[in-house]
Amino acid sequence: MKQEWLEGHHARKRFGQNFLHDKHWIERIVRGIDPKPGDALVEIGPGQAAITRYVIAAAGHETAVEIDRDLAAFLRTQFTEEELSLIEEDALKLDWTAVLPEKRLRIIGNLPYNISSPLLFELMKAADRVIDQHFMLQKEVVDRMVAEPGSKTYGRLSVMLQYRYRMHKLFDVPPGAFVPPPKVTSSIVRMIPKAVDTLLPVDFEAFSTVVALAFQQRRKTIRNGLSTVMTAEMIEAAGVNPGARAETLPVESFVALANVMAEAKKAEAL
Ligand code: SAM
């Protein structure tokens, strides 16, 4: 496949630009995504179309969100409107619930690392319409996403995302696959939203608060971490040992804690 590049484009740091240049890795990533005709593929940050070309060749069409106007103009020279629907916007500001509202999405992207966590949280709002997400992120971030309770990397990102998605790390990608090479190793992660009727019922705001407070200081016990919002008795009522550390608790425990907290708040308001 012919590879074309935007001559003279200097990678913009503020947009987290590291472009994939290595055919071996690009093909491996696209095999991991497995795009098929009819899939509603949405790519965040197509850049110079390293992945885009293969996806369009396989699926026939892609929708893409690109913030860099020069790259957007370049992309329009590479594909027809039938092949590429381009949204020139900041993916962080996009209302994801309104993107192809009739379709079930397959979202992909070699994500700009500087916005990856907030973007993952934004995308959660559309998770009930998503088939799967394949992202390239810093290895360290992917390790946190898929970490299990008790591991050093288990934290807020693990709990919040594991509540909503099943996640699987596919493989690492070395810095040499990019131009310019990033300072760190990257990884590909597959995220599959859990079916809505299998999600544990929880007040999501309370859940976010509990998880954020619990991991604010990792070494603290859950009793100390949550002392501003819950008593030890309330923690016990959620079936959690107040002396436990947040990093040892499974997602279900945070859900139980959030539900006890939300109930207490409701009772207070009566
Ligand atoms: N997909 C290309 C590749 O693999 O070579 C480019 C990847 S590069 C790491 C990240 C891309 O995301 C760039 O094209 C950049 O301009 C774009 N980008 C950065 N911030 C963005 C944002 N907030 N919204 C949409 N695109 C963004």
Side-chain angles (χ1 to χ4, degrees):
M1 194 180 298
K2 193 165 149 250
Q3 187 71 272
E4 296 191 40
W5 304 105
L6 179 54
E7 292 301 328
H9 179 81
H10 294 289
R12 295 185 167 127
K13 257 203 177 141
R14 69 178 187 286
F15 292 149
Q17 291 178 350
N18 300 94
F19 299 106
L20 272 168
H21 261 254
D22 187 319
K23 198 167 173 246
H24 161 77
W25 288 107
I26 297 170
E27 288 181 352
R28 199 165 162 200
I29 292 164
V30 176
R31 272 202 303 277
I33 298 169
D34 192 20
K36 298 222 168 57
D39 287 350
L41 287 142
V42 182
E43 183 176 5
I44 301 171
Q48 305 194 30
I51 298 171
T52 320
R53 277 179 220 287
Y54 286 80
V55 168
I56 289 178
H61 179 265
E62 184 193 277
T63 300
V65 186
E66 176 57 63
I67 197 171
D68 185 319
R69 285 180 190 284
D70 293 337
L71 291 178
F74 167 74
L75 288 162
R76 289 189 203 284
T77 68
Q78 301 291 303
F79 305 100
T80 65
E81 283 178 15
E82 284 71 40
E83 290 170 327
L84 180 70
S85 306
L86 194 56
I87 305 173
E88 269 184 69
E89 263 205 59
D90 181 344
L92 268 184
K93 296 195 180 132
L94 206 60
D95 175 4
W96 282 92
T97 61
V99 175
L100 306 178
E102 307 301 319
K103 301 255 170 80
R104 298 204 61 216
L105 311 179
R106 301 195 64 205
I107 306 179
I108 62 171
N110 168 10
L111 295 187
Y113 295 161
N114 48 346
I115 62 160
S116 55
S117 292
L119 191 56
L120 290 172
F121 281 99
E122 265 317 297
L123 291 171
M124 269 176 106
K125 295 177 187 164
D128 55 347
R129 250 181 353 96
V130 167
I131 295 174
D132 56 19
Q133 301 182 159
H134 287 85
F135 293 134
M136 174 133 65
L137 295 159
Q138 265 173 272
K139 175 181 183 301
E140 178 259 328
V141 174
V142 172
D143 287 344
R144 284 198 278 135
M145 290 163 73
V146 302
E148 301 202 350
S151 89
K152 259 199 240 156
T153 44
Y154 184 71
R156 178 171 172 247
L157 199 62
S158 334
V159 176
M160 295 304 293
L161 294 178
Q162 287 174 24
Y163 170 76
R164 194 65 191 82
Y165 302 92
R166 284 192 289 121
M167 288 182 293
H168 181 58
K169 175 174 160 173
L170 296 191
F171 51 85
D172 291 338
V173 181
F178 306 83
V179 174
K183 290 200 175 68
V184 293
T185 299
S186 305
S187 303
I188 305 287
V189 66
R190 173 178 296 149
M191 307 171 70
I192 301 178
K194 295 177 179 171
V196 173
D197 57 2
T198 67
L199 295 176
L200 296 167
V202 72
D203 174 320
F204 202 73
E205 214 182 295
F207 180 59
S208 306
T209 305
V210 162
V211 176
L213 285 173
F215 284 105
Q216 223 163 36
Q217 282 164 304
R218 297 182 62 83
R219 310 302 307 165
K220 276 193 179 178
T221 61
I222 202 83
R223 181 200 295 116
N224 287 337
L226 299 184
S227 62
T228 53
V229 290
M230 290 178 91
T231 62
E233 290 71 33
M234 287 163 74
I235 294 171
E236 274 170 0
V240 175
N241 173 2
R245 291 218 187 96
E247 66 204 55
T248 65
L249 299 178
V251 174
E252 299 76 44
S253 294
F254 292 99
V255 169
L257 288 164
N259 283 335
V260 169
M261 188 181 100
E263 278 304 313
K265 263 207 174 146
K266 244 195 246 162
E268 248 173 52
L270 289 178

